Amino acid sequence: MSKSAPKIQIPRSRRPRRSPVLVVDLEATCWDTHPPQGQVHEIIEIGWALLDTDANPPRITRNGTYLVKPVRSTVSPFCTRLTTITPELVETEGIALEDAFRRLVAEVNSRDYEWSSWGDYDRDMIARQCQAFGLESPFSSRHYDIKALCRSVYPNIRGTNGMANMYRTIVRRPMMGTPHRGGDDARNTAEIFGRLLAGAKGAKRTR
């Protein structure tokens, strides 16, 4: 990450209390209209990135993804066009949601970190899936909404509040990887968060 991040102010309540921070991006079954009868939105990918917020500038140290087999829905052609995830891919490489949660805890130590995502969708989706399947969340209770943070820091940004526009504005280049894939979007979101935190550190040094 470049050290030329603009100097910005971030309220203490929106800054991580410890490093690293886990950045998460979910992909879920979706349709171009309402879900077909008997089907519901389900997680089909959990992407993640660990952001070392103590580094100067903050840097991503690990990044990965888990594909998940849906059990109450199927991957639609619309979902495939949006994410590139096919029914065959989740069937051959996906694992049960419970197993994905278990691996997050065992391999990423996901409960040990504060976590964040682009908006509150991911946090709410995790809560809904845990309730639906009787699972314990693989994440800690402290969550940062990076989209809301961007809005507060850049209230007059040109264009939409979408991640792609924010990434171009803050990171100053097009997003990396494949849009709407969990691992790539988690990494891109972590880059945005890192740039914001780097700007806040720069502002603090100049006061």
Side-chain angles (χ1 to χ4, degrees):
M1 294 180 185
S2 168
K3 296 184 179 181
S4 61
K7 297 178 178 62
I8 59 175
Q9 302 291 332
I10 297 179
R12 184 176 296 274
S13 63
R14 291 189 169 184
R15 297 184 189 183
R17 293 183 295 186
R18 61 182 183 273
S19 180
V21 170
L22 181 63
V23 181
V24 174
D25 183 85
L26 304 179
E27 303 302 329
T29 50
C30 56
W31 301 267
D32 54 354
T33 56
H34 298 294
Q37 186 174 2
Q39 297 195 42
V40 295
H41 297 281
E42 292 182 275
I43 295 170
I44 53 174
E45 187 175 30
I46 306 174
W48 57 271
L50 277 175
L51 180 68
D52 180 357
T53 57
D54 286 340
N56 187 22
R59 64 186 183 91
I60 297 165
T61 57
R62 294 178 63 194
N63 179 216
T65 194
Y66 299 104
L67 285 166
V68 177
K69 288 183 180 181
V71 296
R72 298 178 179 176
S73 61
T74 58
V75 176
S76 69
F78 172 81
C79 188
T80 297
R81 290 195 300 271
L82 184 68
T83 66
T84 73
I85 297 172
T86 64
E88 294 78 18
L89 183 63
V90 293
E91 180 61 32
T92 58
E93 298 186 23
I95 58 178
L97 182 64
E98 183 176 7
D99 291 337
F101 282 6
R102 188 180 297 116
R103 290 182 62 178
L104 277 164
V105 173
E107 299 171 1
V108 187
N109 299 315
S110 56
R111 290 198 184 112
D112 293 347
Y113 312 120
E114 298 172 332
W115 70 291
S116 60
S117 61
W118 185 258
D120 56 12
Y121 169 84
D122 303 80
R123 180 197 62 196
D124 295 345
M125 186 62 169
I126 288 290
R128 288 196 298 270
Q129 295 275 266
C130 286
Q131 183 177 27
F133 295 104
L135 301 176
E136 183 180 359
S137 173
F139 304 118
S140 69
S141 60
R142 188 170 177 86
H143 173 268
Y144 296 93
D145 181 342
I146 300 174
K147 182 178 181 180
L149 178 59
C150 285
R151 284 181 187 155
S152 68
V153 172
Y154 296 97
N156 300 313
I157 195 168
R158 295 183 63 183
T160 70
N161 289 319
M163 185 169 67
N165 186 50
M166 288 292 188
Y167 188 95
R168 285 191 298 268
T169 300
I170 296 169
V171 183
R172 301 176 185 173
R173 65 169 185 263
M175 291 199 306
M176 306 292 286
T178 302
H180 301 294
R181 286 303 306 264
D184 292 336
D185 278 359
R187 186 176 187 88
N188 288 326
T189 304
E191 280 214 67
I192 292 173
F193 199 19
R195 288 295 181 99
L196 292 175
L197 294 173
K201 288 181 179 180
K204 185 176 181 180
R205 286 196 300 269
T206 60
R207 289 202 297 270

